[in-house]
C-alpha cells in the first residue's frame, strides 16, 4: 500500500539530525513515529517526501526551515513582567517549555531569558529556523479509520482516544482556582502580540 495524503496512518523509524549532524531525536526500535498524513503533525516537507512510498522504503531527507518547523520569527518573542505572569512560586529557568495562552489559544513557549523582573518567552517551535536532516524507514502504512479522519489524528491500539481532548481544549486550560503544582501552566504572555 502506498502513502496517500489524509487517508493513511504511517509509522516511521527515524533519526533526526541538525545541520551539524548531531542527533536531535530518534525513534526507539518497535516504537515508531505514527501519525495521520495531512494532520500537520509531521513537517510539510516530510509529508511531501512520503507520498507514494511503501513499507520498507528507506530514504534520507534534508529540510530547510520553511519545509520543516518554520522560520524563526523574532517578533513573536516577548519579554513579560513577572508581575503579569501567574507563576506562583514556580522556579522558571532558561530552556523550560511552558504552556501559555496567546491570541491564538494555548501554545508551547520556550523560556529564553530570566531576570528578577521579567521572563522572555519564545512561542516559535523549538526547531524553528533549523535545517534538519532525517533518515527515514517506512515501517507501516495502513488505512486511517473514519474516526481517525474525523479527529484529525492517529489512534493507537493501546490507548483509546481521550474524548475530552476532542470536545474542546479542556486539557490545555487549567482551572484558575486550582492551587496545585499546575500553576506553572497558567502562565500568560500578555494580550498583545
Ligand atoms: Zn481521536
Amino acid at each position: 500500500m502506498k502513502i496517500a495524503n489524509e487517508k493513511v496512518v504511517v509509522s516511521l523509524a527515524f533519526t533526526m539530525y541538525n545541520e551539524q549532524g548531531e542527533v536531535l531525536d530518534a525513534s526507539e526500535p518497535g516504537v515508531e513515529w505514527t501519525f495521520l498524513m495531512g494532520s500537520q503533525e509531521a513537517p510539510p516537507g516530510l509529508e511531501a517526501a512520503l507520498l507514494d512510498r511503501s513499507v520498507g522504503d528507506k530514504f534520507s531527507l534534508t529540510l530547510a526551515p520553511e519545509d520543516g518547523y518554520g522560520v524563526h520569527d523574532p517578533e513573536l518573542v516577548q519579554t513579560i513582567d513577572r508581575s503579569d505572569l501567574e507563576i506562583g512560586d514556580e522556579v522558571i529557568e532558561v530552556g523550560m517549555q511552558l504552556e501559555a495562552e496567546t491570541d491564538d489559544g494555548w501554545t508551547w513557549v520556550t523560556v529564553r531569558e530570566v531576570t528578577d523582573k521579567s521572563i522572555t518567552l519564545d512561542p516559535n517551535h523549538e526547531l524553528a529556523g533549523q535545517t534538519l536532516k532525517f533518515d527515514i524507514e517506512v515501517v507501516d502504512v495502513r488505512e486511517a479509520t473514519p474516526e481517525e479522519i474525523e479527529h484529525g489524528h492517529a489512534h493507537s491500539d493501546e490507548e483509546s482516544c481521550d474524548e475530552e481532548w476532542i470536545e474542546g481544549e479542556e486539557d490545555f486550560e487549567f482551572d484558575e482556582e486550582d492551587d496545585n503544582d499546575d500553576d506553572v501552566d497558567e502562565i500568560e504572555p500578555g494580550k498583545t502580540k
Side-chain angles (χ1 to χ4, degrees):
M1 182 178 176
K2 291 194 181 233
I3 297 173
N5 211 23
E6 291 177 17
K7 298 204 176 61
V8 301
V9 170
V10 298
S11 294
L12 307 178
F14 76 98
T15 306
M16 178 172 71
Y17 310 84
N18 63 15
E19 218 169 356
Q20 290 74 42
E22 296 161 340
V23 175
L24 299 178
D25 198 7
S27 56
E28 302 282 338
V31 187
E32 287 82 28
W33 181 15
T34 298
F35 59 89
L36 175 69
M37 286 289 285
S39 64
Q40 300 183 334
E41 184 180 328
L46 176 56
E47 281 209 359
L50 285 168
L51 287 174
D52 289 329
R53 301 212 184 244
S54 310
V55 170
D57 283 3
K58 291 183 185 181
F59 61 98
S60 294
L61 177 71
T62 300
L63 293 183
E66 48 270 33
D67 298 320
Y69 288 98
V71 177
H72 188 270
D73 182 353
E75 295 205 351
L76 295 178
V77 178
Q78 293 184 59
T79 298
I80 315 290
D81 285 351
R82 275 179 181 264
S83 56
D84 291 340
L85 297 170
E86 300 170 32
I87 50 177
D89 297 331
E90 293 291 338
V91 176
I92 306 294
E93 293 175 328
V94 171
M96 280 174 81
Q97 297 262 312
L98 305 171
E99 281 188 289
E101 192 172 21
T102 69
D103 291 347
D104 297 330
W106 288 81
T107 186
W108 287 101
V109 298
T110 305
V111 178
R112 295 294 183 201
E113 201 180 327
V114 176
T115 71
D116 288 348
K117 292 212 165 73
S118 68
I119 295 175
T120 300
L121 299 173
D122 184 354
N124 286 285
H125 192 282
E126 59 178 326
L127 295 172
Q130 296 210 42
T131 295
L132 300 170
K133 189 190 159 221
F134 290 85
D135 290 335
I136 302 278
E137 179 181 354
V138 181
V139 175
D140 190 43
V141 181
R142 65 169 172 82
E143 269 183 67
T145 66
E147 197 183 40
E148 286 175 320
I149 292 172
E150 190 187 331
H151 291 184
H153 55 234
H155 292 161
S156 70
D157 293 340
E158 296 84 51
E159 27 183 329
S160 58
C161 188
D162 184 347
E163 291 295 325
E164 268 190 329
W165 191 89
I166 312 157
E167 282 170 14
E169 294 187 0
E170 274 93 356
D171 275 5
F172 295 94
E173 299 190 41
F174 293 87
D175 192 335
E176 298 279 321
E177 263 83 68
D178 193 349
D179 234 9
N180 66 21
D181 58 5
D182 281 333
D183 279 1
V184 68
D185 295 308
E186 295 174 12
I187 204 162
E188 280 198 288
K191 305 294 181 213
T192 54
K193 203 174 168 190

